[in-house]
Amino acid sequence: MKVCKFGGSSLADATQLNKVIDIVLADPARRIVVVSAPGKRDKGDTKVTDLLIALAKAALAGENIDRQLGAVVERYALIADELKLGEDIVSDITRDLRSRVAQVKDLRPEEFLDLVKAAGEDNNAKLVAVAFAARGRKARYASPKDTGMVLKGDFGDATLDPDSYATLSRAFSNFEGIVIYPGFFGYTKDGKVATFPRGGSDITGSILAAAVCADVYENFTDVDSVYPVDPRIVPDVKEGIPTMTYREMRELAYAGFGVFADDAVIPAVRARIPINIRNTNHPGEPGTMIQQSRRVVPGTVVGIASADGFCNIVVEKYLMNREIGFGRRLLQILEDEHVPYEHMPSGVDSQCIVIKEQYLPREVERRVVAIIRRELEPDFVTVERDITTLMVVGEGMCYTPGMLAKACLALASAGISLSMVNQGSSEVSFMIAVRKQDRDNAVRSLYKAFFG
Ligand code: ASP
């Protein structure tokens, strides 16, 4: 059995929805269909989830909500109209939205916001089930409440209660036909609607794939495959990545590959379910398969990622290497200030700590630097900003000499100076930091070196 998830762009209008139905019907193994709320139809458009957030905020502010509610209903009505689904589904959606908004006084603001946000996927799943019926095929809407999708943690950032796997698995044992399941939300133990973080329908799909031990989790989006490099930087990249391992995916996602959030697929990865990224607009393309292992050609690289927005605390102190506890005390300062760090390359008498800039705003930087000066008495401490990290990733690099040398040579030939180099013991990736202004040139040089 396959679990397939369709993102917002795959369900943005009637044409897209018809493609989704074609895809599902083309393979009898596609039995569980997880849907997002309708997304953007074009660049300037607004996702239904964002319309719903505006609606909830207006209701919380005690404003008249007719305009915002109308904007949401209109998105569904356009689809229903074009597919000739009848009036009932649109009236049902309008009624559902009104009954959610009416709870504004009974819930805490964060609970209310989640209740309204979840309406995007919930109503879309119902509409998709009706659209199947209009094409003469039966598909049943399944509710996260009835199937036992129990969530815990913060509203808007909820996580799955692990006991849910057993309940979900029971709910889906021996089910018949095609099930349409809304992504993005579940219920707390006391019955309140709670949502995952934004983009959370990927999480729902991944959870269901794990719960039913699916043969594959198909994640349909709007790209033919995952590309080995950002096509905005290297526009002539043609070949996608046919297969990659979970480890490679994790490294690339971490380092800036935006196809999906790596934490979204944790349930599928833990259950060793292969993940297939595919394109709703080109269903004939095989997409990218992500799995536990793959055939690896030694000396090859799977992808080159780049991510902006890093900074680097550089601490130097003569004879640092002999000062027992120096590293621990340095990290303790960051821990006390709640600043997470990413990498920590070091020299004999120097220590760099790479941090995402968002976690080190200027006032925190001033405080941290002052404490380092006071407590560690370094010879020198500074913070470099506007750092871009480049990550070269590939299982094929393991035990292959010369991979880092090749990268450094390519960057040196392009006249790019490196701020830092870091390779973990897994050898599946190495990280090179450069100044942001050198990013595009660096990515192109690395791409040329490893992909010819
Ligand atoms: N509709 C939600 C969002 O826009 C969840 C999703 O699409 O995955 O974030």
Side-chain angles (χ1 to χ4, degrees), residues 5-9 35-39 47-50 52-53 117 120-121 183-185 195-204:
K5 178 258 165 179
F6 292 89
S9 62
V35 297
S36 287
K47 293 177 171 190
V48 163
T49 306
D50 290 308
L52 287 163
I53 292 172
K117 265 153 69 185
E121 313 349 69
F184 192 37
F185 74 96
T195 67
F196 293 119
R198 291 299 302 269
S201 301
D202 282 338
I203 308 179
T204 307

Side-chain angles (χ1 to χ4, degrees), residues 302-353:
V302 80
I304 296 160
S306 61
D308 297 335
F310 289 90
C311 59
N312 183 20
I313 304 183
V314 184
V315 185
E316 288 176 14
K317 187 173 186 184
Y318 191 61
L319 298 181
M320 180 193 284
N321 65 326
R322 295 203 202 152
E323 198 172 319
I324 293 174
F326 190 94
R328 181 190 52 74
R329 284 187 288 144
L330 184 53
L331 290 182
Q332 188 66 54
I333 294 171
L334 293 179
E335 187 176 336
D336 293 346
E337 293 294 321
H338 300 285
V339 177
Y341 76 95
E342 306 297 315
H343 309 275
M344 205 175 164
S346 63
V348 183
D349 283 340
S350 69
Q351 184 68 68
C352 296
I353 307 185

Side-chain angles (χ1 to χ4, degrees), residues 202 217 446:
D202 282 338
Y217 171 31
L446 290 175

Side-chain angles (χ1 to χ4, degrees), residues 11 83 111 261 376 439:
L11 293 154
L83 297 179
E111 297 168 353
L376 301 176
R439 179 196 61 197

Side-chain angles (χ1 to χ4, degrees), residues 386-407:
D386 283 336
I387 302 268
T388 290
T389 60
L390 309 171
M391 194 79 96
V392 179
V393 178
E395 302 272 359
M397 300 204 297
C398 301
Y399 311 112
T400 308
M403 300 301 285
L404 185 55
K406 194 169 175 176

